[in-house]
Amino acid sequence: MPRATRVSRLTGLLVSVLLLTATAVACGSSDSDSDSDKGSGSSSAGGSGSPADAGAFPVTIAHKFGSTTIKSEPQRIVTVGLTDQDAVLALGKVPVATTEWLGGYKGAIGPWAEDKLGSAAAPTVLKDTGTGPQVEKIAALKPDLILAVYSGLTKSQYESLSKFAPVVAQPKQYNDYGVPWQQQTEEIGQALGKAAEAKTLVSGVEAKFTAAEKAHPEFAGASAVMATPYEGTFVYGSQDPRSRLLSDLGFSLPKDLDKVIGDQFGANISKERFDLLDQDVDVWIVPDTTASVTKLHDDKVYADLNVVKQGREVFIKETSDYGNAVSLSTVLSIPYVLDRLVPQLAAAVDGKTSTKVAQPAS
């Protein structure tokens, strides 16, 4: 597949998978309880780290398609969820395979997570172009655990993968690709037998949000929205991890946002709904922080909004490490993001039109 812009590619992929999901759900119930205990029996390690908690197994994890029981500590982990690898790495394991989403990173591991590899080889990178996981290639890797927590896995895909390894699918209480990073980390911690360590990791990152909120009380009650110029104007809903970065910092999202978005992670809006963009701050993920900004401001409807007139916009280059870290929004990438995003947000909402919202130095 030719390389498109990062947001165009990821949004197109997620939309395609969501459409497949809708079709699968219409054809059959997702309420059955699946006890997927089948592992490869391989003892080859996919990385090293602290051992699992005593008494951690067997463990049963509920998800969209029922529940999955993992009988013993997994060693050969394949991540089908597009960001699940970061939680695995944070917990001291290296997957034998990951699923490519952003592109450009060896093993699909960003710079915020590279040190977690240690001396281990980078994972094999699998593809998902919108038609689902590469089942045959995954089977050939002989996994003893398949993680699809941040995913849009369909029931048929889940059943196919469950034939040769236990699969932890996306939680049913959230939209596909809508699991909060906290729950993602803790569910993966349970699956790896490291529930206590996962909670500690989550608490550490939540403390960074708390510190940022304390340092910037002006964030509380201020409104914000996350958007991208994909096929017009695409805004992210409240269940999308990118939007949660803003709400976790104390910002409020537009009150009609989810009414417009529906049960998806985001959607395109018409110019008649540009009121959703007229917030205290707009955070844009853009192909280019110069040309893309000019193009946005050339739209007279958008340019006439107060958020533009008062210089309350934040622009993030989608293909930069920073932009990729924002889109992943994982237990490992979020600290990297906060170091860059918080100063930009503070400049945008300081009430001074003369304050420039600078790009991070790196």
Side-chain angles (χ1 to χ4, degrees):
M1 179 177 68
R3 180 177 174 84
T5 62
R6 206 265 311 139
V7 167
S8 298
R9 181 175 56 176
L10 70 89
T11 307
L13 167 60
L14 297 186
V15 169
S16 297
V17 176
L18 286 171
L19 289 173
L20 288 171
T21 303
T23 301
V25 171
C27 294
S29 168
S30 62
D31 295 331
S32 62
D33 186 44
S34 173
D35 186 13
S36 301
D37 302 318
K38 298 168 280 298
S40 66
S42 171
S43 61
S44 299
S48 59
S50 59
D53 300 336
F57 298 100
V59 61
T60 299
I61 301 174
H63 51 71
K64 184 174 182 177
F65 306 114
S67 64
T68 294
T69 295
I70 303 162
K71 291 185 174 180
S72 59
E73 182 177 1
Q75 301 297 332
R76 296 185 59 79
I77 304 159
V78 170
T79 59
V80 169
L82 301 181
T83 68
D84 292 351
Q85 66 270 23
D86 276 13
V88 175
L89 290 163
L91 290 162
K93 292 281 191 179
V94 177
V96 294
T98 55
T99 299
E100 184 176 87
W101 177 21
L102 304 174
Y105 297 129
K106 186 176 181 180
I109 295 172
W112 49 85
E114 286 176 346
D115 63 330
K116 301 297 183 181
L117 267 177
S119 60
T124 297
V125 178
L126 304 166
K127 306 286 184 180
D128 182 343
T129 61
T131 57
Q134 294 176 297
V135 176
E136 294 81 6
K137 289 187 177 181
I138 294 173
L141 290 166
K142 298 182 178 179
D144 52 16
L145 176 65
I146 299 171
L147 294 171
V149 182
Y150 182 78
S151 80
L153 207 65
T154 68
K155 186 176 182 182
S156 62
Q157 291 164 356
Y158 168 75
E159 290 174 344
S160 294
L161 293 171
S162 296
K163 291 177 180 178
F164 51 85
V167 180
V168 179
Q170 65 269 35
K172 64 180 180 180
Q173 64 267 44
Y174 299 102
N175 297 342
D176 289 351
Y177 305 103
V179 60
W181 64 269
Q182 296 97 323
Q183 181 166 337
Q184 176 191 40
T185 304
E186 291 186 8
E187 285 196 1
I188 291 174
Q190 287 182 295
L192 302 186
K194 299 185 176 187
E197 186 177 346
K199 287 183 180 295
T200 299
L201 288 170
V202 167
S203 295
V205 176
E206 286 182 333
K208 294 182 182 296
F209 279 105
T210 300
E213 288 185 85
K214 185 176 181 179
H216 298 281
E218 68 274 19
F219 290 175
S223 60
V225 68
M226 188 84 69
T228 186
Y230 169 70
E231 293 187 351
T233 302
F234 189 98
V235 294
Y236 295 100
S238 67
Q239 288 196 26
D240 187 86
R242 284 154 286 222
S243 292
R244 285 200 178 98
L245 285 171
L246 301 176
S247 55
D248 285 349
L249 284 167
F251 288 91
S252 60
L253 301 175
K255 64 178 182 179
D256 289 340
L257 182 61
D258 286 344
K259 182 178 179 181
V260 174
I261 299 305
D263 61 354
Q264 300 184 50
F265 66 93
N268 287 96
I269 60 171
S270 66
K271 291 186 179 182
E272 286 73 24
R273 290 314 315 257
F274 271 20
D275 59 293
L276 294 173
L277 299 174
D278 204 10
Q279 306 301 320
D280 292 318
V281 59
D282 285 358
V283 181
W284 286 94
I285 303 175
V286 293
D288 183 88
T289 54
T290 301
S292 298
V293 176
T294 299
K295 186 175 180 180
L296 281 169
H297 290 174
D298 283 343
D299 185 314
K300 294 182 179 179
V301 177
Y302 177 67
D304 195 46
L305 299 178
N306 286 329
V307 68
V308 180
K309 292 178 179 179
Q310 297 172 12
R312 293 186 271 105
E313 301 163 288
V314 170
F315 295 100
I316 301 170
K317 186 175 180 180
E318 63 184 15
T319 54
S320 66
D321 290 338
Y322 176 25
N324 288 337
V326 167
S327 287
L328 260 73
S329 291
T330 64
V331 68
L332 290 182
S333 75
I334 286 173
Y336 182 96
V337 168
L338 294 181
D339 287 344
R340 293 155 178 78
L341 180 60
V342 170
Q344 288 186 301
L345 292 170
V349 299
D350 73 347
K352 301 175 183 178
T353 56
S354 59
T355 302
K356 180 179 175 58
V357 182
Q359 290 297 311
S362 62

